[in-house]
Amino acid sequence: QVHLAESGGGLVQAGGSLRLSCAASGRTFSSYAMGWFRQAPGKEREFVAVITWSGVRTDYTESTKGRFAISRDDGKNTVYLQMNSLKSEDTAVYYCAASQYNSYSKNFYYDERKFDYWGQGTQVTVSS
């Protein structure tokens, strides 16, 4: 089993930045692709970003490309999501997730069913 714990959420002004962290414990962290999803009030959970086992490939949802950056530090068993130029529509609960699959297909990780373990979520609120 893998346990995930997010941190770094909070209230930020539009145009500002936040860095989310996700600490993993349990099985070997480096064996998993790591992703971020988010869920806004009244909406379904949606894919945000993913980084593969090797860390050489990343992918982002269209609305965050150029603004968000995902990275990982396997020595610290931690994955990060750097969020810049935040907009009000980025307001959501952000979830960290781990996948046992190792895929290079473009849209493979867009489906939350490809992820095996989930954190509890951290709230991000962007004010005007």
Side-chain angles (χ1 to χ4, degrees):
Q1 294 291 316
V2 174
H3 297 278
L4 305 174
E6 304 97 332
S7 62
L11 176 65
V12 64
Q13 188 175 346
S17 300
L18 282 175
R19 188 194 193 195
L20 305 183
S21 298
C22 175
S25 62
R27 298 182 181 179
T28 305
F29 176 76
S30 60
S31 298
Y32 296 86
M34 301 297 298
W36 289 94
F37 288 75
R38 67 186 181 186
Q39 186 170 24
K43 297 184 178 180
E44 297 295 318
R45 188 159 58 187
E46 67 172 346
F47 170 82
V48 176
V50 67
I51 184 167
T52 59
W53 289 4
S54 65
V56 300
R57 188 177 75 86
T58 59
D59 199 12
Y60 304 87
T61 191
E62 288 294 331
S63 63
T64 66
K65 288 182 178 178
R67 300 189 298 120
F68 290 11
I70 188 171
S71 62
R72 65 191 297 162
D73 186 338
D74 290 347
K76 296 181 178 179
N77 286 0
T78 301
V79 63
Y80 306 95
L81 184 67
Q82 179 67 46
M83 305 185 294
N84 301 320
S85 301
L86 284 163
K87 305 174 181 179
S88 60
E89 53 261 45
D90 294 317
T91 295
V93 176
Y94 283 72
Y95 296 89
C96 175
S99 174
Q100 299 183 64
Y101 296 103
N102 185 22
S103 176
Y104 290 91
S105 298
K106 178 178 173 58
N107 63 346
F108 183 85
Y109 294 106
Y110 292 8
D111 186 352
E112 67 180 54
R113 293 173 295 181
K114 299 299 192 296
F115 290 82
D116 305 284
Y117 306 101
W118 294 82
Q120 82 289 343
T122 185
Q123 177 71 49
V124 172
T125 302
V126 183
S127 63
S128 300

